[in-house]
Amino acid sequence: ARREGLSFEKAVEIQYFPARLAPQNDGETEALPDWISAMSNSNNTLCTGSCDGSLRVFQHGEKVGLVQHDVIKAHSQAVKCISSSSGIDSSQFMIASGSMDHTLLTHSHQKGDIKSTLALHAVYSGGHASSINSVALSSVNGSLTMASGDWNGGLCIWKVPQVGSSQNSVEDNMEKHK
């Protein structure tokens, strides 16, 4: 910086943010065990990903706001992105999540009369060598396609297998672009 005629004092700007106490819970919000790092909304269902690697599914209750229906520990590190897409009928949909642990997963969510279930659908491996920061699900003619992007600029396009398919790792259905 001195070579260009600037002093270090002019080249570096320091900002200070004083620490604040956490807000008190007044009963209007639900305290979650970790920060929400990603979320997606589909069919009146909110899906969240947290820094502890968990996925949560909330649905609108009849008398109260959002009600947590399911939680699953999906990743070993923070969830960075999440996308959801409606299924063939209104009782099921697909959730895709990407993480700092370099994994990309899909989970199927089945809404039931009494209980809803969130289950691992497929593991997508071999496409990314760094943190997955973006994911998008798209439904075309009843078939799901997923796009994912990573920290290094890699873009992968994946064909999502049908729910109930025996294929649980879809390396063969991946196209990679840089």
Side-chain angles (χ1 to χ4, degrees):
R2 288 190 191 265
R3 291 182 198 155
E4 287 93 34
L6 299 174
S7 71
F8 282 112
E9 290 80 21
K10 292 181 184 177
V12 177
E13 183 178 324
I14 299 174
Q15 294 182 348
Y16 170 74
F17 297 97
R20 304 257 185 220
L21 293 176
Q24 296 296 320
N25 186 358
D26 58 5
E28 292 184 15
T29 61
E30 179 179 343
L32 297 175
D34 209 341
W35 291 343
I36 294 174
S37 54
M39 67 176 66
S40 176
N41 190 23
S42 178
N43 280 1
N44 290 325
T45 303
L46 177 67
C47 306
T48 64
S50 298
C51 289
D52 64 358
S54 64
L55 298 176
R56 287 180 171 74
V57 176
F58 299 88
Q59 293 174 333
H60 294 282
E62 295 202 14
K63 295 183 180 181
V64 294
L66 290 175
V67 177
Q68 181 174 314
H69 278 266
D70 212 348
V71 61
I72 189 169
K73 177 74 171 165
H75 296 277
S76 63
Q77 292 184 16
V79 175
K80 295 298 290 177
C81 53
I82 193 168
S83 179
S84 56
S85 178
S86 300
I88 296 169
D89 58 29
S90 62
S91 69
Q92 102 181 22
F93 65 94
M94 191 70 62
I95 302 167
S97 60
S99 172
M100 290 181 70
D101 63 9
H102 308 185
T103 60
L104 184 63
L105 307 174
T106 52
H107 287 80
S108 60
H109 182 262
Q110 185 75 34
K111 297 179 194 175
D113 292 335
I114 299 171
K115 186 180 180 198
S116 63
T117 57
L118 184 62
L120 180 64
H121 171 255
V123 177
Y124 302 81
S125 60
H128 296 287
S130 65
S131 175
I132 300 169
N133 289 342
S134 59
V135 65
L137 285 170
S138 176
S139 179
V140 178
N141 298 329
S143 175
L144 274 177
T145 301
M146 179 172 53
S148 58
D150 64 31
W151 184 255
N152 289 335
L155 171 67
C156 295
I157 307 296
W158 310 84
K159 180 180 176 187
V160 178
Q162 296 284 334
V163 173
S165 170
S166 61
Q167 184 181 18
N168 62 2
S169 180
V170 290
E171 292 177 354
D172 301 332
N173 296 333
M174 184 262 305
E175 300 174 29
K176 186 172 182 181
H177 303 283
K178 185 86 172 178

